[in-house]
Amino acid sequence: MTGQVRTVDGRVAGRRGQATRQKLLDCLSEMLSSSPYRDVKVIDVARRAGTSPATFYQYFPDVEGAVLEIAETMAKEGAGLTELVAGRSWVGKAGRQTAEDLVEGFLTFWRKNDAILRVVDLGAAEGDKRFYKIRMKILNSVNNSLADAIKDLQSRGKVDKDTNAAAVAGSLVAMLASVAGHQKGFQSWGVKQSELKPSLALLVHLGVTGKKPAK
Amino acid sequence: MTGQVRTVDGRVAGRRGQATRQKLLDCLSEMLSSSPYRDVKVIDVARRAGTSPATFYQYFPDVEGAVLEIAETMAKEGAGLTELVAGRSWVGKAGRQTAEDLVEGFLTFWRKNDAILRVVDLGAAEGDKRFYKIRMKILNSVNNSLADAIKDLQSRGKVDKDTNAAAVAGSLVAMLASVAGHQKGFQSWGVKQSELKPSLALLVHLGVTGKKPAK
DNA sequence: ACTTGTCCTGTCATGCCGTCAGCTTACCGA
DNA sequence: TCGGTAAGCTGACGGCATGACAGGACAAGT
């Protein structure tokens, strides 16, 4: 399905080539964590990987191309976030737990991949469809599950029929993503991590069910 | 208080100089709207402004410095967002209206300044304190007002005492900011603007009061 | 040892960065 | 009217990143 890994000029990459390629991706990841995206240069990535800029260009058209590669990998991993919501109950104590687990899982995933997610977010906001698609892939997994949960509650008469499930789910997911992306920011806002999570869980529960969670 | 406008090498800028400086800022703004931040080059901004790169460096240390200038101006304007919340009622029909006005005002402001806000968001997420401060300045105006509203409702026994006002307010504001920044994205998600606003207003109202808004 | 195909790098033309010296323009007091 | 002074702008330059290419190094099979 994925086909073989190929160089820019069409050759198939062998064992050694793939290792080099991967090392370049790893080093790029590190650089994204430690310096602004705007300042990440091919030459720095290559130096850090113990190779030359020319080698970089053998495997990637440019920095953006390599970033997309990293993002794609992360998106696959992120699709697993669905399980935080799919098939779980939103009623009573279990509902409270579902909300809390969703928040916890989301924040953890974001913290682990914050550098690359920042760039994806920027690319999407700038209107780049490739980045937008990746962002979708990650958020959709949660978004669809949330929307389904709301629709389910609607069909059972537990939530107003006139609320737009997709819009509410999308807004909640956006909230989670944004807060996750500025976790450090909240701290200097005087809000601690430990206080943040319950509040997010409360808002998620409120948004999905329209009611406060059970104690 | 602000002192005179000065060039990088310390000269005070006169009428003509200030005009040139402003033109450079305007052109930079346009470039940010039309091309990725990463690809905005000093030479392009200078060309568009009908001047030379050397002139740019006379007024700004680098692209980032000029961006901060634009952002600062926008932040002053954005501080007016406080009025969307301050001193307004969250009870009954008026409460519904307050939530709707807040959403509307927020989205409008964001749409008008989306290009620069993207960059500010990125800078803040990357940990740059200067950008973070500007983001704070804008969001704080709304955030503090919201937090005060929640605290007020708490003191009157209308909201649970154990919810953290600052955390909830911050999360709601983050949601608004994030959704506003990806307004175009929501459209291809199958959610129309007209459906988005009521959902956001619902969530804001739920978050602040804990109850669904009155019809 | 020889061949084949993968893998890496030295080198080069191009273009942007950021600085400086020096030229032009505007203002002002004598 | 006429310098004098400071503001305003730019050509030019060394430095560095980019991206392309050709050719050398290397591993594996015969």
Side-chain angles (χ1 to χ4, degrees):
Chain A
M1 158 114 191
T2 58
Q4 293 150 306
V5 179
R6 287 185 177 273
T7 59
V8 169
D9 55 335
R11 277 204 307 276
V12 294
R15 240 199 321 267
R16 191 154 69 109
Q18 290 201 25
T20 305
R21 194 183 132 99
Q22 190 56 49
K23 181 152 200 180
L24 284 166
L25 286 177
D26 293 343
C27 292
L28 174 55
S29 267
E30 289 170 29
M31 301 240 44
L32 285 174
S33 304
S34 61
S35 58
Y37 179 45
R38 198 166 197 282
D39 298 341
V40 170
K41 307 290 179 194
V42 169
I43 196 168
D44 296 321
V45 178
R47 260 202 285 263
R48 182 185 276 248
T51 179
S52 77
T55 302
F56 181 95
Y57 287 107
Q58 198 157 39
Y59 294 106
F60 310 103
D62 48 26
V63 173
E64 205 182 71
V67 166
L68 277 167
E69 193 86 5
I70 298 173
E72 209 88 56
T73 307
M74 182 202 57
K76 272 177 202 148
E77 198 186 323
L81 289 172
T82 318
E83 292 163 20
L84 291 168
V85 191
R88 298 200 49 172
S89 165
W90 285 94
V91 184
K93 268 198 170 181
R96 182 196 188 84
Q97 190 65 44
T98 301
E100 281 174 7
D101 290 350
L102 172 58
V103 169
E104 178 67 36
F106 214 95
L107 292 194
T108 302
F109 177 77
W110 227 263
R111 210 172 321 131
K112 198 166 77 182
N113 303 97
D114 66 336
I116 188 73
L117 280 164
R118 271 199 305 266
V119 180
V120 171
D121 239 46
L122 175 68
E126 279 175 342
D128 188 308
K129 290 205 176 137
R130 298 165 302 170
F131 284 109
Y132 183 67
K133 225 172 156 182
I134 290 175
R135 192 171 184 271
M136 283 272 282
K137 194 170 175 180
I138 299 169
L139 298 188
N140 253 351
S141 64
V142 178
N143 188 55
N144 290 338
S145 307
L146 266 188
D148 287 347
I150 296 176
K151 281 179 200 153
D152 183 52
L153 289 172
Q154 280 179 325
S155 71
R156 288 196 277 142
K158 301 209 173 192
V159 168
D160 287 350
K161 299 271 186 194
D162 58 350
T163 62
N164 184 320
V168 170
S171 301
L172 287 174
V173 170
M175 173 181 75
L176 289 174
S178 176
V179 172
H182 290 94
Q183 284 179 78
K184 283 179 194 165
F186 270 90
Q187 286 168 24
S188 52
W189 213 328
V191 178
K192 288 173 193 162
Q193 279 271 337
S194 56
E195 301 171 304
L196 193 55
K197 286 179 193 168
S199 302
L200 283 172
L202 168 68
L203 286 170
V204 169
H205 194 281
L206 272 173
V208 173
T209 68
K211 291 171 189 167
K212 286 175 224 169
K215 293 254 165 166
Chain B
M1 157 109 196
T2 59
Q4 294 149 308
V5 180
R6 285 186 178 274
T7 58
V8 168
D9 55 336
R11 278 204 303 276
V12 294
R15 241 199 318 270
R16 190 152 70 112
Q18 291 201 25
T20 304
R21 195 183 132 97
Q22 191 56 49
K23 182 153 200 181
L24 284 167
L25 287 176
D26 292 344
C27 292
L28 174 55
S29 267
E30 290 171 30
M31 302 241 35
L32 285 175
S33 305
S34 61
S35 57
Y37 181 45
R38 198 168 197 280
D39 297 341
V40 171
K41 309 290 180 194
V42 169
I43 198 170
D44 296 321
V45 177
R47 262 203 283 264
R48 183 185 275 248
T51 180
S52 76
T55 301
F56 182 96
Y57 287 105
Q58 197 155 39
Y59 294 106
F60 310 104
D62 48 26
V63 172
E64 207 182 70
V67 165
L68 276 167
E69 192 86 6
I70 297 174
E72 208 88 57
T73 307
M74 181 203 57
K76 271 177 203 150
E77 198 187 323
L81 289 172
T82 318
E83 293 165 20
L84 292 168
V85 191
R88 298 199 51 172
S89 165
W90 285 95
V91 184
K93 267 196 170 180
R96 182 197 189 83
Q97 190 64 42
T98 301
E100 282 174 5
D101 290 350
L102 172 59
V103 169
E104 178 68 36
F106 214 95
L107 292 194
T108 303
F109 178 76
W110 227 263
R111 210 172 321 132
K112 197 165 77 180
N113 303 98
D114 66 336
I116 188 73
L117 281 165
R118 272 199 306 265
V119 180
V120 171
D121 240 46
L122 174 69
E126 279 175 345
D128 187 310
K129 290 206 176 137
R130 297 165 303 169
F131 284 110
Y132 183 68
K133 224 172 157 183
I134 290 176
R135 191 171 184 270
M136 282 272 281
K137 194 170 176 180
I138 299 169
L139 298 188
N140 253 350
S141 64
V142 178
N143 187 55
N144 290 339
S145 307
L146 266 186
D148 287 347
I150 297 176
K151 279 178 202 157
D152 182 54
L153 289 171
Q154 280 178 325
S155 71
R156 289 195 278 143
K158 301 210 171 192
V159 168
D160 287 351
K161 299 270 185 195
D162 58 349
T163 62
N164 184 319
V168 169
S171 302
L172 287 175
V173 170
M175 173 181 75
L176 288 174
S178 175
V179 172
H182 290 95
Q183 284 180 77
K184 283 180 193 164
F186 270 91
Q187 286 168 26
S188 52
W189 211 328
V191 178
K192 289 173 193 161
Q193 279 273 336
S194 56
E195 300 171 305
L196 193 55
K197 287 180 194 169
S199 301
L200 283 172
L202 169 67
L203 287 170
V204 168
H205 194 281
L206 272 173
V208 173
T209 69
K211 292 173 189 167
K212 287 177 224 168
K215 293 253 167 168

